[in-house]
Amino acid sequence: MSMSPLETLHALVAAARAAGAESADALLVRSAALSVGRRLGKIEQLERAESFDMGLRVFIGQHQAIVSTSDPAPVAFRALAERAIAMAKVVPEDPFAGLPAAPDGLVAADFDLYDPTEPTAEDLIARAALAEEAALAVAGVTNSEGAEAGWSATDIALVASNGFAGHYRRSGHSLSATALAGSGTGMERDYDYSSVVYLADLDDAAAMGRRAGERAVARLNPVRAKTAKLPVVFDPRVAGSLLGHLSGAINGAAVARGTSFLRDRLGQRILPAGTTVYDDPTRRRGLRSRPFDGEGMAGQRRAIVEDGVLTTWVLDWRSARQLGLAGSTGHASRGTSSAPSPSTTNLWLAPGKVTRKALMADIREGLYVTEMIGMGVNGVTGDYSRGAAGFMIRNGELAEPVSEITIAGNLQDMFLRLQLADDLEFKRGTDAPTLRIDDMTLAGA
């Protein structure tokens, strides 16, 4: 590509305006990635991938159309723009579509999103080998689903006819290992993984593999728990899924459609007093940090739920207009071939003040969940029913492993009964500490 990402997009938007667009924006995503997969000492995957994509969105009145291309040559821009204009003239009008009225200012802070360290294939192979061999060395581990190591670097640029222009680069390093224990139909599996922006923040490979092996062994010989109503404790690995259901319910698009069980709860208590949920696209080295969103809006840290009270919806400009609100909250996400839609960034539930052990200490009989299965959640009513596996809690301690069970409740009630431990870690982009919810239904034997 002879021009810079911003120069390329300025030329594409200019071509769209010249072809008759009243307004337009263009997104560029360019990436490179290297990944390795190793199983039982053999390399099963070694892949290098590079990609380049651009998307052009044009508006004629309230009609919009989007086209995408992998060709960065300016000589092709006129034909691309003319195709987009022709499409916009025949699609139905969208009364809520349009660019922001004015560009937002770029955030000046350095989010530290790019690590210049680019590993070699040999580096990744060695990392995966350490993880897998540590998992296999755990007593009781009998097989491996392998270990994978990866690296990526991505450029993202956005230019709009309202005057916005922004570009940033981000990197990613990842490692995972999956171990199996037991034999025959009694085999169990478990895993561990790490995904970070900077290589220096990646979990130790051997420690990760060892945890995967130990977790798999701990799950051997599970029983099917008896049906009961009891306290359920969610391990941090799965606790974030509850936060994911919350983010879906406060998504402006769902609220505008009337398909959210929280659609009438803005300004009301939805979590226990003292509980706060943050969304922060500006967090340094955050997995989902970004200096601007898919519409060129600068992000900011927000307490989406403060002291248990829902303070805002998650909005892009379209959903804000649908709801008759002042503007976007800077949560637009998009791809090169799709229109923006609202989505959270680095989302987390602020930790409580007690240890996990203390959180479980008074539970005579309960369930500790380490794995969730299926997506049995009704977004309109909040009814919740999901398959689960984990361990029974007896007298405050983890006991026998359990599987083939279902836990059920209603998210509105569940949210109000949340109890939080103090063990929050930022590992997934949507993060929560260990959580406890009393009086849930366990369906088992």
Side-chain angles (χ1 to χ4, degrees), residues 72-108:
V75 294
F77 290 176
R78 178 177 177 179
L80 187 70
E82 288 175 347
R83 186 164 81 246
I85 295 297
M87 291 168 58
K89 289 179 178 178
V90 297
V91 299
E93 183 178 78
D94 182 347
F96 306 111
L99 299 180
D104 225 355
L106 288 174
V107 177

Side-chain angles (χ1 to χ4, degrees), residues 193-229:
Y193 76 96
S194 178
S195 180
V196 296
V197 173
Y198 268 71
L199 178 60
D201 298 330
L202 196 69
D203 285 357
D204 178 78
M208 181 187 306
R210 187 165 53 252
R211 285 194 297 269
E214 291 170 349
R215 288 170 175 172
V217 172
R219 294 181 62 167
L220 285 172
N221 304 312
V223 298
R224 192 177 184 193
K226 294 182 180 180
T227 297
K229 182 164 282 192

Side-chain angles (χ1 to χ4, degrees), residues 64-320:
Q64 72 170 326
I66 301 169
V67 293
S68 61
T69 182
S70 57
D71 184 0
V75 294
F77 290 176
R78 178 177 177 179
L80 187 70
E82 288 175 347
R83 186 164 81 246
I85 295 297
M87 291 168 58
K89 289 179 178 178
V90 297
V91 299
E93 183 178 78
D94 182 347
F96 306 111
L99 299 180
D104 225 355
L106 288 174
V107 177
D110 178 12
F111 301 162
D112 205 12
L113 298 180
Y114 182 70
D115 177 5
T117 305
E118 181 176 343
T120 64
E122 290 74 19
D123 293 332
L124 297 183
I125 291 169
R127 205 168 294 151
L130 280 172
E132 185 181 36
E133 289 168 6
L136 289 168
V138 174
V141 170
T142 55
N143 207 334
S144 166
E145 286 191 359
E148 296 185 0
W151 162 87
S152 65
T154 305
D155 282 284
I156 299 170
L158 177 68
V159 168
S161 60
N162 63 7
F164 179 83
H167 168 246
Y168 65 98
R169 173 176 284 187
R170 66 176 305 118
S171 59
H173 298 267
S174 63
L175 180 63
S176 65
T178 303
L180 294 97
S183 61
T185 58
M187 294 184 77
E188 295 290 336
R189 62 179 290 280
D190 215 315
Y191 68 94
D192 198 13
Y193 76 96
S194 178
S195 180
V196 296
V197 173
Y198 268 71
L199 178 60
D201 298 330
L202 196 69
D203 285 357
D204 178 78
M208 181 187 306
R210 187 165 53 252
R211 285 194 297 269
E214 291 170 349
R215 288 170 175 172
V217 172
R219 294 181 62 167
L220 285 172
N221 304 312
V223 298
R224 192 177 184 193
K226 294 182 180 180
T227 297
K229 182 164 282 192
L230 41 63
V232 174
V233 178
F234 294 81
D235 184 88
R237 289 200 298 175
V238 295
S241 67
L242 294 172
L243 203 52
H245 299 317
L246 173 63
S247 70
I250 62 175
N251 184 293
V255 174
R257 291 193 302 267
T259 57
S260 165
F261 63 90
L262 294 178
R263 59 189 176 274
D264 299 320
R265 302 296 301 277
L266 188 64
Q268 298 180 32
R269 184 173 305 285
I270 63 168
L271 297 178
T275 306
T276 302
V277 176
Y278 292 103
D279 182 273
D280 187 6
T282 71
R283 198 177 77 221
R284 191 170 179 269
R285 299 192 184 185
L287 288 176
R288 299 178 185 172
S289 295
R290 60 192 185 190
F292 55 87
D293 75 350
E295 295 176 306
M297 302 294 293
Q300 59 179 293
R301 173 170 165 153
R302 294 176 183 270
I304 289 179
V305 177
E306 189 168 16
D307 193 23
V309 175
L310 179 61
T311 65
T312 183
W313 305 125
V314 172
L315 303 168
D316 64 351
W317 271 98
R318 186 179 188 280
S319 58

